[in-house]
Amino acid sequence: MSRYWSAVVHGLTPYVPGEQPKLDNLVKLNTNEHPYGPSPRALEAIRAATGEALRLYPDPNADALKAALAGRHGLQPQQIFVGNGSDEVLAHAFMALLKHERALWFPDITYSFYPVYCGLYGIAHRTVPLAADYSIRVEDYLPQGENRAGAIIFPNPNAPTGRALALAEVERIVAANPEAVVLVDEAYVDFGGESAIALVDKYPNLLVVHTFSKSRSLAGLRVGFAAGHAGLVEALERVKNSFNSYPLDRLAIAGAVASVEDEEHFRASCGKVIATRETLLGQMRALGFEVLPSAANFIFARHPARDGAELAAELRKRAIIVRHFKAPRIDQFLRITVGTDAQCAILVGALAEILRG
């Protein structure tokens, strides 16, 4: 703390990212990174972009990436916004589209960066409790007279629960709130959810945000994007160009474009994660864990007879790192990234040993 801090800084409670420990023989299942590598075509494109041209600024509009994403999703380039990871895209959306006189609504158990953005930008917000089974209740987001949101944001699948809403349920929320922007954060949708990008042309109040960090295994490259009507994208561009005109460097643009173009690798690698997740779900339940249904690349599990924090600590002793949240309603759960089959086997074996002790 310093006497030179602004009032804004004094009032912030920053987001705490997943730990990146430096331990030997670590089984790292705490930050939802993809267990398999990026597209070989993406790696080759990054290598090819490493040269004399790095002395030059990158394309501030990342037109090649916008064109590739628009082509893949059946949209126009002006309906695509790109940024330095989906966190930056979300940050610009909070400022450009989610700050209004009425409160922003989002789930009480969700991505913990949302309240941080609200604190940073001075956005009034209301948390909407999940159901007892940790699902999002569509009815809770439908306006009732003057009880209506200024804007709405939720992940689908939700994080850290992993539960997903069907596309028809997402559409009910969007359609019922025509005066409010509805932002659907789809960081994990490629592992089993239904993308609302299919609804973008139908609803001018819908913005869908994706990341290359999860399903495209490019967390180290920092690339994210949003899809929506051109008017929403223009608002994001105005904020971006008032903050940082060059959010994506030459390597990121080249690697991301090549990744989008390698559909075969994308589908195959996601399929491997999904298959491992289903196996892990069965193994965890066989050990007596309650595991929520997951459409993400992680599972959310608790044991009825063992404390969540103690389980996380015991796993750490064995060089296995999972995520434990000290938060109301979920402090007994562990969020476990789906790793390779070998990593998951080590995890299950360690949990079986711990439970026997």
Side-chain angles (χ1 to χ4, degrees):
M1 186 175 294
S2 166
R3 64 190 179 94
Y4 298 108
W5 285 9
S6 70
V8 172
V9 172
H10 274 286
L12 291 179
T13 303
Y15 172 75
V16 179
E19 184 184 7
Q20 300 286 353
K22 294 178 174 60
L23 301 174
D24 293 333
N25 301 314
L26 179 67
V27 177
K28 189 173 182 296
L29 304 175
N30 67 321
T31 51
N32 300 340
E33 291 146 324
H34 202 299
Y36 305 107
S39 159
R41 291 169 58 178
L43 297 178
E44 180 55 36
I46 293 168
R47 284 190 286 267
T50 304
E52 178 66 20
L54 288 181
R55 69 183 179 82
L56 303 173
Y57 283 106
D59 176 5
N61 296 316
D63 286 331
L65 180 54
K66 290 180 180 179
L69 288 166
R72 184 178 188 274
H73 294 287
L75 300 174
Q76 298 300 313
Q78 62 266 31
Q79 293 177 276
I80 301 292
F81 176 82
V82 297
N84 188 251
S86 64
D87 285 337
E88 183 182 78
V89 176
L90 289 169
H92 291 339
F94 269 74
M95 172 61 76
L97 299 169
L98 305 185
K99 184 175 183 178
H100 300 282
E101 289 186 9
R102 293 183 185 270
L104 168 66
W105 292 5
F106 52 81
D108 64 334
I109 300 170
T110 194
Y111 187 26
S112 53
F113 226 138
Y114 297 165
V116 174
Y117 289 137
C118 289
L120 179 62
Y121 297 128
I123 300 174
H125 64 281
R126 169 191 162 193
T127 57
V128 181
L130 297 180
D133 65 356
Y134 300 97
S135 63
I136 290 175
R137 288 180 294 228
V138 172
E139 290 73 17
D140 292 344
Y141 293 85
L142 307 184
Q144 297 179 349
E146 285 303 304
N147 181 25
R148 61 183 61 238
I152 294 168
I153 183 172
F154 59 90
N156 194 43
N158 195 15
T161 66
R163 301 200 66 142
L165 282 176
L167 185 58
E169 297 293 88
V170 173
E171 184 170 12
R172 285 181 63 201
I173 296 174
V174 178
N177 291 276
E179 302 304 315
V181 170
V182 178
L183 193 160
V184 185
D185 184 355
E186 294 187 341
Y188 303 101
V189 75
D190 296 321
F191 298 104
E194 297 177 273
S195 179
I197 290 180
L199 303 175
V200 158
D201 279 335
K202 187 176 180 180
Y203 295 100
N205 62 321
L206 172 63
L207 188 76
V208 184
V209 174
H210 277 224
T211 178
F212 279 63
S213 296
K214 313 302 181 184
S215 59
R216 294 193 179 275
S217 195
L218 287 170
L221 211 58
R222 311 308 303 132
V223 180
F225 74 94
H229 265 234
L232 300 185
V233 170
E234 182 183 356
L236 298 175
E237 296 285 359
R238 289 172 66 87
V239 171
K240 184 265 283 187
N241 287 321
S242 301
F243 175 74
N244 177 13
S245 296
Y246 301 96
L248 293 185
D249 60 45
R250 287 177 172 272
L251 307 186
I253 293 171
V257 169
S259 176
V260 173
E261 292 173 345
D262 195 350
E263 187 73 15
E264 182 179 358
H265 180 274
F266 166 72
R267 293 191 179 278
S269 62
C270 287
K272 289 168 68 175
V273 172
I274 292 168
T276 302
R277 180 189 69 208
E278 296 309 301
T279 299
L280 180 60
L281 281 169
Q283 292 171 330
M284 293 289 289
R285 287 170 178 155
L287 291 175
F289 282 86
E290 174 194 354
V291 189
L292 299 187
S294 176
N297 70 334
F298 59 84
I299 63 171
F300 207 48
R302 64 182 171 186
H303 197 279
R306 300 298 292 266
D307 179 74
E310 291 178 3
L311 285 174
E314 287 297 322
L315 287 171
R316 187 183 181 88
K317 291 177 183 177
R318 293 160 173 81
I320 303 169
I321 308 297
V322 299
R323 191 80 187 262
H324 174 255
F325 296 91
K326 297 177 182 178
R329 297 185 67 189
I330 60 171
D331 61 343
Q332 292 305 308
F333 280 90
L334 300 178
R335 193 196 69 189
I336 303 170
T337 302
V338 177
T340 63
D341 289 336
Q343 288 176 321
C344 290
I346 293 170
L347 167 75
V348 171
L351 286 171
E353 178 184 283
I354 293 167
L355 294 174
R356 284 195 301 267

